[in-house]
Amino acid sequence: MNLAALQPGILGEGDSRGGICPGCAVPAAAPFFRQAAVPAHSSLLLADRETALAFPRGELELTACGSCGLVFNQSFRPELMRYGPDCEETQSSSATFLAYAGALAERWIERYQLVGGRILEIGCGKGEFLALICRLAAAEGIGFDPAFDPARAPHEPGLRIDWRRECYGPAQAGMAADLVVCRHTLEHIAPVGQFLAMLRRNMGERPSVLALEVPALEPILELGAFWDIYHEHCSYFTAQSLGRLVSLAGFEVLALSREYGGQYLVLEARPRAGEAPPPAVVPGPPAEGAAADRDLTLRMTHALAFWQRRLRDWRGQGRRVALWGSGSKAVGFLSALGSAADVVELVVDLNPRRHGWFMPGCGQPIVAPAMLRQYRPDIVIAMNPIYREEIGRDLAALGLQSQLLAIDELEGTIGL
């Protein structure tokens, strides 16, 4: 995933504390879900188990705004965030993810006639997507991210990209681009309303297109997916709330869809011509789904109890368990389980840059798939269900017959 290209305070003092919605600035209800002592980061590389176990922690106090529908962590602590080269967020080791990213880039190039144009990405991570879309469009690019690593910058003939290892902010006002991309960055930004308003001011009246991609809140609402809630993500969006906030900031929404197995929201918009941004209060009913606080809390409680019971049963049976995927979902999953997480002895990842490091807050080692030949797990849990088939093929290639389960396989216990 790409990481936030904004440092705390760059947009002023507005944040989510005190129960004020950081999307539309109206008073919000009391938190509906709490979890203490969660790892502050999900993507940092930690060198040993002791450092991982002593990793700084924050709290979750999820609150839903009854006006715009944004769900946010009222106890988010931006001072705990540290984005730099030791963040490892890339998913480019997966063929499934690469195919999705390529199809998304081609769609935007065709839809918005980007060949030979200029593309700006906020939160470009290690630069894979920006390099991909610029290569396909023969376009010029500029990427912003404090976690960018110049040593890993894509280098190839004809690629024209200005990499900025810095935050995107008001200083970039007037920077022209045909497409402004912000993928998996908005959920890391606490003052999300201020950010979108700043972005609208920066884009001015040019006929540029804004392309946003964020995790969808809908699967969390539907499943009680506690593994998709973590401190590093301070803002959570349904399709309705994302569309509202973008419109509130002065954009016209062109397209809005759920993608990647329904896990992501992809929104495309352009600055609304000839209008100042509308007032910062949106009247009307709460966003669909975000109002169902009680149901979400119940679903998350049931899902957590289900996995705790299942893992403790496996411990009693002496079964070996591994997770596949060491990203944020795994951090959210393991940190919520309490002592039941000890059943998981290691975490597998395709990304070789993660091998030999340890899980934040939990301490499990991150290993290459080939290590499973030695460990021979009885059960492998796919932390992202969209990779289930890909993982199954990898296990077969390793000569393993481990039982493969996806994290969302809850055997019907969560229905309400």
Side-chain angles (χ1 to χ4, degrees):
M1 295 290 178
N2 301 330
L3 294 172
L6 287 172
Q7 293 172 338
I10 193 168
L11 293 175
E13 297 304 316
D15 61 21
S16 56
R17 299 190 183 190
I20 301 299
C21 174
C24 65
V26 304
F32 64 86
F33 178 82
R34 291 180 170 89
Q35 184 180 339
V38 297
H41 263 280
S42 304
S43 309
L44 289 181
L45 299 175
L46 304 174
D48 54 67
R49 179 175 170 81
E50 291 70 26
T51 302
L53 292 174
F55 195 70
R57 296 174 182 266
E59 295 185 3
L60 296 176
E61 286 190 307
L62 293 189
T63 303
C65 177
S67 179
C68 69
L70 179 70
V71 171
F72 59 96
N73 179 12
Q74 189 169 310
S75 290
F76 178 68
R77 295 176 58 192
E79 69 273 15
L80 294 179
M81 298 296 95
R82 190 182 83 237
Y83 293 114
D86 55 348
C87 291
E88 186 53 49
E89 74 287 357
T90 180
Q91 296 185 72
S92 59
S93 297
S94 164
T96 301
F97 187 80
L98 285 176
Y100 166 71
L104 185 64
E106 289 175 350
R107 186 172 84 197
W108 286 342
I109 291 167
E110 180 179 0
R111 182 175 291 175
Y112 300 114
Q113 301 177 359
L114 299 175
V115 173
R118 192 178 199 218
I119 300 167
L120 184 154
E121 185 171 12
I122 302 167
C124 65
K126 300 303 182 287
E128 294 101 332
F129 183 79
L130 184 57
L132 170 66
I133 193 170
C134 286
R135 181 188 314 119
L136 292 174
E140 177 186 356
I142 180 168
F144 290 86
D145 201 313
F148 180 74
D149 184 355
R152 292 172 60 180
H155 293 290
E156 54 190 83
L159 198 60
R160 298 169 295 148
I161 300 179
D162 179 10
W163 302 106
R164 305 280 186 95
R165 190 176 168 185
E166 60 187 73
C167 300
Y168 177 89
Q172 278 69 51
M175 184 174 284
D178 299 292
L179 180 73
V180 176
V181 177
C182 186
R183 299 180 66 228
H184 296 278
T185 295
L186 202 63
E187 66 270 21
H188 297 262
I189 298 172
V192 62
Q194 292 183 49
F195 171 75
L196 288 170
M198 177 271 293
L199 191 51
R200 172 64 185 87
R201 290 191 298 271
N202 280 8
M203 291 177 69
E205 303 305 317
R206 294 180 301 278
S208 304
V209 173
L210 171 66
L212 298 175
E213 185 178 70
V214 297
L217 179 58
E218 284 87 349
I220 302 175
L221 298 170
E222 293 157 6
L223 286 171
F226 65 90
W227 52 88
D228 275 324
I229 302 291
Y230 22 87
H231 183 266
E232 193 170 336
H233 284 188
C234 47
S235 300
Y236 300 82
F237 308 89
T238 61
Q240 185 177 3
S241 64
L242 181 62
R244 258 188 193 181
L245 288 168
V246 169
S247 178
L248 179 65
F251 291 91
E252 174 193 359
V253 176
L254 304 174
L256 176 55
S257 58
R258 281 178 68 177
E259 308 274 350
Y260 210 51
Q263 296 182 33
Y264 299 161
L265 294 172
V266 175
L267 180 146
E268 296 148 34
R270 63 166 46 102
R272 198 161 44 237
E275 295 183 26
V281 176
V282 182
E288 181 180 353
D293 300 348
R294 176 187 166 277
D295 282 354
L296 175 56
T297 303
L298 187 58
R299 288 175 188 273
M300 292 178 74
T301 301
H302 280 196
L304 177 57
F306 170 83
W307 275 109
Q308 287 174 324
R309 182 173 63 251
R310 188 180 233 183
L311 289 165
R312 286 168 180 153
D313 287 346
W314 290 338
R315 175 192 288 146
Q317 298 162 9
R319 307 186 81 177
R320 294 186 174 189
V321 183
L323 301 190
W324 194 297
S326 65
S328 297
K329 291 177 186 291
V331 175
F333 181 68
L334 292 171
S335 62
L337 288 170
S339 61
D342 295 342
V343 183
V344 178
E345 294 186 297
L346 51 82
V347 182
V348 177
D349 206 286
L350 287 177
N351 185 350
R353 294 182 179 274
R354 283 183 164 268
H355 301 162
W357 303 88
F358 292 80
M359 295 293 293
C362 313
Q364 285 86 350
I366 303 170
V367 302
M371 288 293 293
L372 294 185
R373 284 198 183 103
Q374 177 181 343
Y375 182 64
R376 307 201 69 80
D378 300 296
I379 297 159
V380 174
I381 303 171
M383 289 310 305
N384 191 327
I386 203 166
Y387 299 132
R388 196 184 194 284
E389 290 188 12
E390 182 178 297
I391 294 168
R393 291 192 296 269
D394 288 341
L395 288 173
L398 291 168
L400 298 172
Q401 297 181 337
S402 308
Q403 181 183 6
L404 176 59
L405 299 171
I407 187 65
D408 61 349
E409 293 181 32
L410 298 168
E411 298 181 357
T413 64
I414 313 300
L416 297 176

